[in-house]
């Protein structure tokens, strides 16, 4: 066991390094797609499409030549990084349901955006509206949790059901937009617009930077919030930061996974990681690796079998979790906070 542990850590570090390179490459690809009108970037864009054509030729697919598939795959890869990263803190704080709540809140934002678009002719980004509403919903949950005497999950349940109710009421008022709302409920790669993919890239950079900058503080409040308050740490601010990060990640992930399945990427990779990890840091690393397995495996399953992308990703994530459970020979109670 003592000999295999260093090798496993080396593999984890190699996996994280490769994931980082892949994520940076995806952000670069989205940047090329966004700036393709520029002369030099346009040449790189054309070469990338040619490379995609050759990849399709040798693989027998019809995927990599199309820019909308680039955006979808890049968005999925980035979701596989930031969703488990934020989800690790949520799971250890027993806040797994918050992702589902904020997804329903973001859905209400999409509904409001659709209604405004239909009534005023506004042609802005629906994902930007969802982001604003999602952040407001996150702050609302935080406000309710701190100012009510009910059990901790009651404000979450109220926001979950209330925001989805508002979304359905708003959607019922708009029967003329012609937008397939099912794509936002169940997830659809065609929902990923250029602006939505670019938003996900910005979200990913900001979330990773925030977690790197506040890792110790978030770790402290995750495992001992009372001690953090005694140490005069601004617990309210860090709780708000965590829930806002969750909101923005959920909005980005909703494009691929939909409202119903989005919480899975916050929870399932982390649940798989806790089965084999021996520390909180290792749980972070392993959850990101499991997230990448779920996203890449889900895309392969979806494209090869013609299945919905969101459901395919979640099924692969759950399969990975079950494999981790069978491979694990210990209880998760032994987790170290280091």
């Amino acid at each position: 066991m003592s000999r295999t542990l260093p090798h496993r850590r080396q593999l984890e570090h190699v996996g994280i390094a490769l994931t980082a390179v892949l994520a940076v490459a995806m952000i670069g690809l989205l940047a090329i797609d966004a700036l393709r009108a520029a002369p030099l970037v346009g040449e790189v864009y054309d070469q990338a499409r040619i490379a995609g054509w050759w990849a399709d030729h040798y693989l027998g697919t019809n995927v990599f030549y199309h820019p909308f598939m680039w955006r979808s795959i890049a968005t999925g890869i980035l979701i596989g990084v930031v969703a488990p990263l934020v989800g690790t803190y949520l799971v250890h704080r027993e806040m797994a349901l918050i992702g589902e709540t904020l997804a329903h809140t973001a859905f209400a934002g999409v509904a409001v955006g659709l209604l405004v678009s239909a009534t005023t002719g506004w042609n802005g980004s629906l994902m930007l509206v969802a982001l604003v509403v999602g952040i407001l919903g996150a702050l609302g949950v935080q406000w309710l949790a701190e100012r009510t005497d009910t059990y901790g999950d009651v404000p979450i349940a109220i926001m979950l059901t209330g925001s989805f109710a508002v979304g359905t009421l708003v959607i019922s008022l708009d029967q003329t937009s012609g937008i397939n709302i099912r794509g936002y409920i169940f997830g659809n790669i065609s929902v990923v617009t250029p602006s939505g993919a670019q938003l996900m890239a910005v979200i990913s950079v900001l979330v990773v930077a925030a977690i790197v900058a506040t890792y110790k503080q978030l770790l402290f409040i995750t495992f001992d919030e009372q001690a953090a308050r005694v140490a005069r740490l601004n617990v309210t601010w860090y709780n708000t930061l965590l829930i806002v990060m969750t909101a923005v990640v959920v909005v980005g992930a909703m494009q691929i996974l939909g409202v119903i399945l989005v919480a899975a990427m916050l929870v399932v990779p982390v649940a798989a990681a806790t089965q084999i990890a021996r520390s909180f840091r290792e749980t972070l690393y392993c959850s990101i690796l499991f997230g990448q397995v779920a996203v890449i495996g889900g895309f392969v399953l979806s494209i090869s079998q013609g299945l919905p992308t969101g459901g395919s990703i979640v099924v692969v994530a759950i399969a990975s979790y079950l494999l981790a459970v069978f491979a694990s020979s210990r209880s998760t109670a032994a987790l170290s906070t280091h």
Side-chain angles (χ1 to χ4, degrees), residues 19 89 126 153 336:
T19 300
Y89 291 98
L126 291 177
D153 58 348
S336 166

Side-chain angles (χ1 to χ4, degrees), residues 44-285:
V44 177
Y45 175 82
D46 292 336
Q47 293 300 315
R49 293 203 71 179
I50 292 172
W53 184 89
W54 281 108
D56 282 334
H57 175 74
Y58 284 111
L59 296 174
T61 59
N62 186 26
V63 174
F64 300 103
Y65 176 75
H66 304 289
F68 84 92
M69 287 301 301
W70 300 356
R71 293 190 287 267
S72 299
I73 294 172
T75 301
I77 294 295
L78 295 176
I79 290 168
V81 174
V82 294
L85 192 59
V86 173
T88 302
Y89 291 98
L90 298 179
V91 169
H92 285 89
R93 300 192 69 182
E94 299 181 354
M95 294 172 60
L97 191 61
I98 193 68
E100 190 78 23
T101 300
L102 296 178
H104 285 72
T105 304
F107 172 73
V110 171
V112 170
L114 288 174
L115 182 62
V116 171
S117 177
T119 55
T120 67
W122 176 74
N123 198 28
S125 172
L126 291 177
M127 297 312 298
L128 187 59
V129 178
L131 180 63
V132 172
V133 175
I135 291 174
L136 292 176
L139 296 175
V141 170
Q142 180 72 9
W143 184 85
L144 285 174
E146 292 187 351
R147 286 166 174 77
T148 61
D149 296 327
T150 55
Y151 293 105
D153 58 348
V154 171
I156 294 176
I158 292 172
M159 186 64 72
L160 187 155
T161 54
S163 57
F164 196 73
V166 170
T168 55
L169 290 176
V170 172
I171 288 296
S172 69
L173 297 176
D174 172 30
Q175 301 295 333
T176 61
S177 64
I179 295 178
N180 181 15
I181 197 64
R182 286 172 57 88
Y184 290 97
I185 297 177
F186 300 104
N188 191 332
I189 56 175
S190 64
V191 172
V192 183
T193 61
S195 61
Q198 294 157 20
L199 179 64
M200 189 67 223
V202 173
I203 286 171
S204 300
V205 172
L206 293 178
V207 167
V208 171
I211 288 182
V212 169
T214 61
Y215 173 79
K216 292 182 179 180
Q217 293 87 343
L218 291 176
L219 181 66
F220 196 0
I221 66 172
T222 295
F223 285 96
D224 199 338
E225 185 172 310
Q226 290 302 116
R229 293 185 185 276
V230 172
R232 296 186 178 180
L233 196 67
N234 192 341
V235 173
T236 299
W237 190 89
Y238 288 108
N239 282 335
T240 303
L241 175 65
L242 179 60
I243 200 168
V244 168
M245 286 194 297
T246 305
V248 297
V249 168
V250 162
V251 170
M254 187 175 68
Q255 302 174 87
I256 297 288
L257 298 168
V259 171
I260 295 177
L261 299 177
V262 68
M265 281 302 290
L266 292 168
V267 176
V268 180
V270 181
T274 57
Q275 295 298 317
I276 61 174
R278 291 170 172 78
S279 68
F280 184 82
R281 187 185 295 271
E282 189 178 8
T283 303
L284 275 177
Y285 292 161

